[in-house]
Amino acid sequence: MIRTEDHEGIRTVTLDRPARRNALTLEGLADLERAITGAETAVVYLTGAGGAFSAGADFDVVGEVADEGREAIESFVDRGQRTMRAIEGAESVVVAGIDGPARGGGVELALACDIRVATPAATFAETGVSLGLFGAWGGTVRLPEVVGTGDALDLSLSGRTVDAEEALRMGLVQRVTAEPFSVAEEVAGNDPNALRALKGLVRADGNREERERREREAFVDLLSARADDIGSR
């Protein structure tokens, strides 16, 4: 479900599971991490196939891990968090090209990227609250850092959908353009050593893993309590 192509200093990583709106399985998360952290290019361009960015976690997988109990849920959340941290910490600059819907874990995936570029057709929603859950791949940590506490609470507690222009206003994306790949090309035109150094300095943070640990524990409690409901969907 993960396709890669290297060309002129950019690795394009495509989530290629359009029938499921590019929802991520455990295997898909691991493949995605390898595709991005294994890049030898200065820039990685991450996008989705079939008119969607990503629906986030595959709900069939969520139901399966809910049935298996707390240990499986913890492993599932940990896998997602590790992938997002790996993307955030990758040596390459990771540019997300978001066309169509990003939902739940798809928003969290975008948040882990260094630069988020939307097409006019992009939409965003943190839909977990409607299921009695929330995004637990670092979303409660990154979303308020990116958009501020007020907008983070609005998005997370309402579950509402925002379009590309509203996402731009709140800082969820940095640009809206019909050609997001052009931003990856723009970044790739700069010195790779300078890109690496700048990313490392801006990304430096010492508190994230503790905050993600608390997020993981809260999610495990919620999903463990709702295992029967989730499994019946």
Side-chain angles (χ1 to χ4, degrees), residues 58-223:
D58 187 304
F59 210 76
D60 289 344
V61 176
V62 175
E64 290 170 5
V65 298
D67 289 340
E68 293 173 10
R70 291 185 64 89
E71 187 173 339
I73 299 169
E74 288 177 351
S75 179
F76 167 72
V77 177
D78 184 61
R79 171 71 271 179
Q81 288 186 349
R82 282 188 289 123
T83 296
M84 301 309 148
R85 285 199 302 273
I87 292 169
E88 190 175 58
E91 287 198 358
S92 303
V93 175
V94 184
V95 178
I98 305 158
D99 183 31
R103 298 289 183 268
V107 175
E108 294 182 292
L109 176 57
L111 287 168
C113 298
D114 301 305
I115 301 173
R116 290 166 295 281
V117 186
T119 71
T123 59
F124 304 82
E126 284 282 13
T127 52
V129 69
S130 66
L131 304 172
L133 300 170
F134 60 87
W137 289 346
T140 66
V141 177
R142 293 185 182 89
L143 187 60
E145 288 178 347
V146 169
V147 304
T149 301
D151 282 329
L153 287 170
D154 178 20
L155 288 172
S156 299
L157 299 179
S158 69
R160 71 187 183 92
T161 300
V162 300
D163 62 16
E165 288 301 327
E166 186 169 4
L168 179 65
R169 176 198 64 75
M170 65 176 62
L172 183 55
V173 301
Q174 282 68 60
R175 305 195 206 181
V176 177
T177 175
E179 298 294 341
F181 186 74
S182 66
V183 178
E185 292 178 313
E186 181 181 330
V187 174
N190 294 301
D191 180 79
N193 293 324
L195 293 176
R196 188 178 301 111
L198 279 167
K199 174 174 177 173
L201 290 166
V202 173
R203 284 293 200 185
D205 179 75
N207 300 317
R208 184 178 307 281
E209 288 195 24
E210 171 60 21
R211 292 162 68 190
E212 288 184 350
R213 182 190 63 78
R214 294 196 299 267
E215 176 191 71
R216 180 171 64 249
E217 290 178 354
F219 182 87
V220 170
D221 288 342
L222 281 174
L223 187 51

Side-chain angles (χ1 to χ4, degrees), residues 21-34:
R21 292 201 306 174
N22 303 319
L24 289 161
T25 63
L26 289 167
E27 181 181 3
L29 285 165
D31 289 345
L32 176 61
E33 179 177 333
R34 284 191 292 268

